[in-house]
Amino acid sequence: MKALIKDKPVRGTTFTDLPIPSIESGDLLVKVHAAAICGTDIHIYQWNEYASSRIKLPLLFGHEFSGVVVEVGKDVTNFKKGDRVAAETHVPCGHCYQCATGLQHICKDMKILGVHMDGVFCEYSILPAVCAWKLDPSISYEMGATMEPFGIGVHAMSKTKPAGKKVIIFGCGPIGIYAQMVAKFSGAEYVIGVDVTKERLDLARKMGTDIVLNAKEVNVVDEVNKITKGFGTDIVVELTGNRGVLNDATKTLRRGGDIVLVGLFSGPVEWDLVNNVIYKEATVYGVTGRVMWDTWWTAQSMLLSGKLAVSPVITHRFNLRDYDKAFQLAESAATGKIVFEV
Ligand SMILES: [Zn+2]
Ligand SMILES: [Zn+2]
């Protein structure tokens, strides 16, 4: 089968032929139909510190995907050949305290597809059945491949009660835009999206975000002060992972508001806790991945409602063999979601 692998500790990736993998008793073999590029994949492609400190070579990478089951492990009872599935990409151990108490998504020994184990930029992928989500017939493969990042937006907003609230979301990449759409869907008074890339801000506006602010062009704290008439926002969601953003982001928050932290910072962050959290009595939530399977049920219901037209967030589609073009475009940060059609 055709596959994209990372086999050298340098920038780039190798398009190669691999044997179709054989599965263990608890796995599914899935014919990949759609696989999306995530920020993690860009790190792996670039081979920066984030990737080199985590990844053992060689690795078949990629994790966001959907496809059809072509083979079922002998211990798997709830899936059959022909089932259309999407992947929860965080594989729980099934035994630790978190797994035993409904917190599989923060499993102590969690593995991630395409990071700690072979992934999905290929024709046939192994998916542990415990991480398979049956796709509703009305959800397309490419939408199925993006339910994982969409689910992060759903999970982030689920920590808060956006109805009738002023929501600001820092970051207008695909997850940021999904979070903005979920906030609107959930009845926010208005949603403000912040980014530094014009294309992403344009996409956010196109997808229904009420106000977009380019942090390169305006002082976001002053602007939000004007927009909210000095009230401040009720809910701040941080998705940039940019260490310089956090203090300004939380300066926009009203006293007693909620802060949801999702973006991954590289290294420790200096945060004025006294003024931004303690005196404000702010509630701070950390969010990672998706709750299994609560987030997936919610995400599916939102998609099936017909009120959330998420498909334009996918802005580009490529064949696997055009991987270099796809990754270079992804690096530009001037796109929505990029999907390989396999
Ligand atoms: Zn991802
Ligand atoms: Zn576990």
Side-chain angles (χ1 to χ4, degrees):
M1 65 170 184
K2 300 286 179 223
L4 277 187
I5 60 164
K6 186 78 188 181
D7 55 350
K8 297 181 206 79
V10 291
R11 181 186 161 81
T13 172
T14 304
F15 186 58
T16 189
D17 272 304
L18 290 180
I20 292 174
S22 42
I23 57 171
E24 307 273 340
S25 60
D27 295 335
L28 305 172
L29 186 67
V30 180
K31 165 73 186 73
V32 179
H33 277 265
I37 296 179
C38 167
T40 305
D41 304 317
I42 300 171
H43 293 313
I44 295 173
Y45 179 83
Q46 294 173 331
W47 202 246
N48 57 16
E49 202 272 327
Y50 177 93
S52 61
S53 65
R54 282 173 177 76
I55 307 256
K56 275 207 246 125
L57 302 180
L59 176 77
L60 196 181
F61 67 124
H63 55 272
E64 298 173 359
F65 89 113
S66 68
V68 62
V69 175
V70 293
E71 195 186 331
V72 179
K74 67 173 169 39
D75 295 340
V76 178
T77 53
N78 51 341
F79 288 91
K80 57 180 193 315
K81 265 191 202 177
D83 281 345
R84 298 165 73 248
V85 292
E88 168 49 65
T89 61
H90 293 182
V91 184
C93 76
H95 309 293
C96 71
Y97 174 86
Q98 283 73 21
C99 283
T101 55
L103 299 169
Q104 295 96 313
H105 72 294
I106 45 171
C107 166
K108 190 163 80 66
D109 296 313
M110 180 176 66
K111 295 198 167 56
I112 301 178
L113 283 183
V115 174
H116 307 108
M117 54 208 280
D118 274 346
V120 308
F121 288 158
C122 60
E123 291 179 273
Y124 294 90
S125 175
I126 297 173
L127 179 64
V130 65
C131 289
W133 172 260
K134 262 180 220 166
L135 276 182
D136 184 274
S138 64
I139 295 181
S140 66
Y141 282 121
E142 69 170 29
M143 199 174 288
T146 55
M147 278 184 80
E148 192 260 32
F150 177 64
I152 301 175
V154 172
H155 185 192
M157 293 320 303
S158 76
K159 297 289 188 189
T160 69
K161 293 188 179 123
K165 295 290 193 277
K166 307 174 204 321
V167 179
I168 186 163
I169 297 182
F170 288 78
C172 294
I175 297 172
I177 291 179
Y178 289 139
Q180 289 161 34
M181 295 180 78
V182 171
K184 285 284 287 184
F185 177 91
S186 308
E189 176 192 354
Y190 51 75
V191 178
I192 306 169
V194 184
D195 204 289
V196 291
T197 309
K198 184 184 175 299
E199 290 84 348
R200 289 193 156 173
L201 291 164
D202 289 347
L203 183 60
R205 204 185 335 238
K206 177 178 163 190
M207 299 311 295
T209 299
D210 301 284
I211 300 156
V212 297
L213 299 176
N214 189 330
K216 263 192 191 155
E217 291 168 4
V218 298
N219 179 314
V220 172
V221 178
D222 291 348
E223 281 306 305
V224 172
N225 207 31
K226 272 185 238 159
I227 295 163
T228 64
K229 302 184 178 71
F231 186 87
T233 57
D234 301 290
I235 299 167
V236 171
V237 182
E238 198 326 284
L239 271 154
T240 69
N242 182 327
R243 285 192 280 181
V245 169
L246 190 57
N247 283 296
D248 275 357
T250 46
K251 267 184 211 157
T252 70
L253 186 74
R254 70 160 164 82
R255 293 188 170 220
D258 291 336
I259 303 167
V260 185
L261 301 178
V262 194
L264 301 178
F265 304 96
S266 56
V269 177
E270 219 168 273
W271 192 13
D272 180 356
L273 286 172
V274 172
N275 289 305
N276 286 324
V277 177
I278 300 167
Y279 281 164
K280 280 189 174 175
E281 287 209 352
T283 304
V284 181
Y285 298 96
V287 162
T288 183
R290 297 139 300 277
V291 179
M292 290 168 74
W293 290 91
D294 181 64
T295 302
W296 286 82
W297 282 107
T298 308
Q300 173 178 278
S301 295
M302 286 179 176
L303 295 176
L304 295 183
S305 75
K307 294 173 200 153
L308 256 179
V310 291
S311 53
V313 177
I314 300 173
T315 52
H316 297 79
R317 294 158 183 85
F318 286 93
N319 189 291
L320 258 192
R321 68 183 69 247
D322 297 322
Y323 56 90
D324 263 330
K325 249 194 258 168
F327 276 104
Q328 280 158 23
L329 194 61
E331 280 182 308
S332 74
T335 70
K337 205 73 186 163
I338 299 176
V339 171
F340 288 117
E341 292 171 331
V342 183

